[in-house]
Amino acid sequence: MNIALVGSTGYIASFLLKRFMKEASVSQILKIDQNETADVFLDLCHADKFDYTKLNNIDFVVFTAAVSGPDKCAADFDVCWKINVEGTISFIHKALDKGCRVLFFSSDAVFGNIPGHIYTEESETKATTPYGRMKKAVEDEFRGNPYFKAIRLSYVISANDRFIKYCLCCVQKNERVDVFHPFYRNCIGVSDVVDVVMWFVEHFDEYKPDVLNVAGKEFVSRVRIVDELNRILDKELEYTVSTPKSDFFENRPKMTQMKSNFLQKYRILEDISFTEKFQKEIKEINI
């Protein structure tokens, strides 16, 4: 299997690369990004200038590249739309024309904000935030194409995610953590994301729906995350629960509850608790 990883220098992409390099079934990894460490340069603002002959021998494209900050997408909407929608759609069309199967990284932000609703793969997407609208636009463009699948990620936990790193920094500095509440997601581990991608690499054609919700079965707050972290740390992490200013929720819902009808049906991920997932991801931290 020859794989192209678009956005190869990104946060989740770094975990994917480590896994791909261990897999005997992966013969080639083509790293595509606008970073000098990539094998091939790509600027999604000018996707038409990419040398698409580089995809001639590629079987599978994992598309992780995006401007993913919700506030950035709102503040610089036109530029981010050009990258996250226009450039992304252009690249994926060319990859599909080359016969590649494409796995696109989407988000639970595509659903919008319906109070009390639990979103599944069949739920209507009514994105209201700029970032959510961008991910929805790409999903909609390729809906029904059997060579395109999208995985919608909830909040991804790892020892290196921004919130965990902030908490650990507070521990080291003997500072109190400020925990925003309410802020809930069906958190998953970065290991889950990697496992899902590898499942698609090996079983892409077996999965019939257009999208897969990659979500944990528990609805988790940041307060829960800190409490789970305190179960692991030798030194107690002190925190204060606070309500964010109203503008914090302009570009992200307070609560997005997403579940999957297919993760267990297709036996893609094992059904374990958030505590088990969290401990699996955080076991390597050093304080």
Side-chain angles (χ1 to χ4, degrees):
M1 179 72 69
N2 296 333
I3 298 176
L5 180 59
V6 183
S8 58
T9 60
Y11 161 56
I12 295 178
S14 64
F15 293 91
L16 290 171
L17 283 171
K18 292 178 182 178
R19 178 66 175 272
F20 290 159
M21 288 188 287
K22 295 178 181 178
E23 293 291 331
S25 61
V26 178
S27 304
Q28 177 189 352
I29 307 166
L30 182 69
K31 295 178 288 184
I32 301 176
D33 211 322
Q34 55 181 350
N35 187 287
E36 61 183 11
T37 61
D39 299 316
V40 188
F41 179 84
L42 169 65
D43 179 359
L44 284 170
C45 284
H46 304 283
D48 58 312
K49 296 183 179 179
F50 183 77
D51 180 5
Y52 289 95
T53 63
K54 299 295 185 182
L55 301 181
N56 285 350
N57 298 316
I58 296 299
D59 304 299
F60 195 87
V61 173
V62 182
F63 199 102
T64 70
V67 180
S68 58
D71 296 324
K72 175 71 173 175
C73 288
D76 298 317
F77 182 84
D78 290 341
V79 173
C80 293
W81 185 272
K82 189 171 183 62
I83 294 169
N84 288 354
V85 180
E86 295 174 8
T88 295
I89 286 175
S90 178
F91 184 97
I92 292 175
H93 269 300
K94 294 288 178 48
L96 293 171
D97 288 344
K98 292 285 185 181
C100 303
R101 285 159 172 76
V102 177
L103 185 66
F104 172 69
F105 273 39
S106 189
S107 166
D108 60 7
V110 299
F111 292 114
N113 188 17
I114 304 174
H117 198 72
I118 302 174
Y119 305 103
T120 70
E121 286 86 354
E122 287 80 23
S123 298
E124 185 178 0
T125 53
K126 296 183 177 181
T128 56
T129 65
Y131 179 64
R133 288 163 55 198
M134 292 172 191
K135 290 297 186 182
K136 171 179 163 55
V138 178
E139 285 190 17
D140 290 347
E141 176 71 17
F142 299 101
R143 192 174 302 279
N145 189 314
Y147 295 103
F148 173 91
K149 308 290 182 187
I151 57 173
R152 296 169 178 154
L153 304 185
S154 185
Y155 185 85
V156 180
I157 290 284
S158 85
N160 292 316
D161 81 60
R162 185 176 299 176
F163 183 63
I164 296 298
K165 288 172 71 174
Y166 161 63
C167 291
L168 297 179
C169 182
C170 288
V171 172
Q172 293 171 338
K173 294 180 179 180
N174 291 315
E175 295 178 353
R176 188 180 296 267
V177 173
D178 185 19
V179 183
F180 286 174
H181 187 78
F183 193 69
Y184 286 82
R185 296 294 186 270
N186 287 89
C187 299
I188 55 171
V190 71
S191 299
D192 290 335
V193 179
V194 173
D195 287 343
V196 167
V197 171
M198 279 308 307
W199 188 90
F200 273 102
V201 168
E202 297 168 357
H203 306 280
F204 190 93
D205 294 335
E206 296 176 23
Y207 188 77
K208 301 309 177 185
D210 296 308
V211 297
L212 173 70
N213 292 349
V214 184
K217 66 179 182 179
E218 296 178 59
F219 202 33
V220 177
S221 69
R222 285 192 173 181
V223 175
R224 168 77 182 277
I225 292 172
V226 175
D227 287 339
E228 292 287 353
L229 190 57
N230 268 338
R231 297 178 66 181
I232 297 171
L233 299 176
D234 292 331
K235 184 175 183 180
E236 185 77 6
L237 174 62
E238 297 184 356
Y239 63 89
T240 300
V241 177
S242 65
T243 302
K245 295 181 181 179
S246 58
D247 60 355
F248 179 79
F249 293 118
E250 287 181 1
N251 300 313
R252 54 181 69 75
K254 293 180 181 179
M255 303 181 186
T256 302
Q257 190 165 8
M258 179 173 72
K259 73 174 185 178
S260 175
N261 291 332
F262 303 114
L263 277 174
Q264 270 69 59
K265 178 180 179 179
Y266 281 83
R267 298 181 180 178
I268 300 172
L269 289 179
E270 59 181 335
D271 186 15
I272 62 175
S273 69
F274 175 72
T275 296
E276 292 172 289
K277 289 179 181 290
F278 188 86
Q279 291 180 347
K280 178 181 178 181
E281 299 300 337
I282 309 300
K283 64 183 179 181
E284 297 179 358
I285 64 173
N286 294 307
I287 299 296

